[in-house]
Amino acid sequence: MDRETVFEILDPRFARLFIGTARLDMLFSDCRWAEGPAYFPAGRYLVWSDIPNDRMLRYDECNGQVSVFRHPSGHSNGNTVDRAGRLVTCEHGGRRVSRTEVDGTVITLADRFEGKRLNSPNDVVERSDGSLWFTDPTYGIDSDYEGNKGESEQAGNFVYRLDPETGSLSVVADDFVQPNGIAFSPDEKTLYIVDTGASHRTDGPRHIRKFAVLDEKLIDGGVFAEATSGFFDGLRLDTDGRIWTSAGDSVHCYTPVGKIKVPEVVANVCFGGPKRNYLYICGTTSLYGVRLPVTGAKTF
Ligand code: MG
């Protein structure tokens, strides 16, 4: 797809965020619902989830080949790479957050809060202090489509902070309908969290909230942006603090300056490539990518 088709300018500032020969690359197209991209710089590959197909895939950016990384995958959803280079995964099926150790063993980091099972962890990020922050909506237990149908055991759909060293798990936000994508600002003073509650409630939220991070707690949490097309889902930031987030028709760049138009509903994004200037885009059946003149914020 060419530049005019792909980039929609809402504010003149966006014109500087793509170059004249930029295009949208179609990298793979055999998913049922692509989600959860996570980039491994040491291996120069991307791992992502294909939730209903209960598998994870791996894209090798050196040769363009795609292979199955894990099947079954516990209906994995969001992924991230921690500072030690390990894969951290939200699993709907196992109702847990897992970590893949350097020897390949997959261990459970969190599957219960106060003795009761989590709902279905959706998306996760690491802070530089080693803590993991993740969301726990009900999508993975609502039906067998993207997990295993089951009952919620929690009093709400919370956002959690996990200390992997101690296993300590605490609720950092308890007023979401369906907490979803989650990402820190480059200085980690701000945490952005998506609420996709409109999927379950008429006139429910379809927005991004913005929290101040104070040690292990969140403050404020006002609405940062309302979705103008479908839902926001996942999001990542660049080093200048711009937000690149999935939406119904495209990737939206905030403060609202423009869109990268994608021919399918977009679920999530992440920066990759040796210079972190290649935006990987999970869009329903396909993995897309676009090279940008911006640099993704380090997420680990
Ligand atoms: Mg999500």
Side-chain angles (χ1 to χ4, degrees), residues 33 35-36 51 77-78 92 121-124 135 137 139 179-182 194 196 232-235 246 267-268:
W33 181 3
E35 243 286 14
I51 306 174
N77 188 334
H92 285 180
N122 188 290
D123 214 345
V124 58
T135 56
Y139 295 112
N180 204 317
I182 183 168
V194 172
T196 47
F232 298 126
D233 195 334
L235 67 170
S246 61
N268 217 327

Side-chain angles (χ1 to χ4, degrees), residues 75-122:
H75 290 282
S76 66
N77 188 334
N79 296 287
T80 197
V81 182
D82 75 6
R83 289 173 305 146
R86 297 168 297 194
L87 175 66
V88 177
T89 299
C90 292
E91 298 182 20
H92 285 180
R95 300 173 71 157
R96 67 172 182 166
V97 178
S98 70
R99 187 174 70 202
T100 304
E101 305 295 89
V102 292
D103 66 359
T105 310
V106 180
I107 66 167
T108 298
L109 294 181
D111 63 354
R112 289 175 183 269
F113 176 67
E114 295 185 337
K116 298 172 182 170
R117 299 182 78 188
L118 299 176
N119 296 323
S120 51
N122 188 290

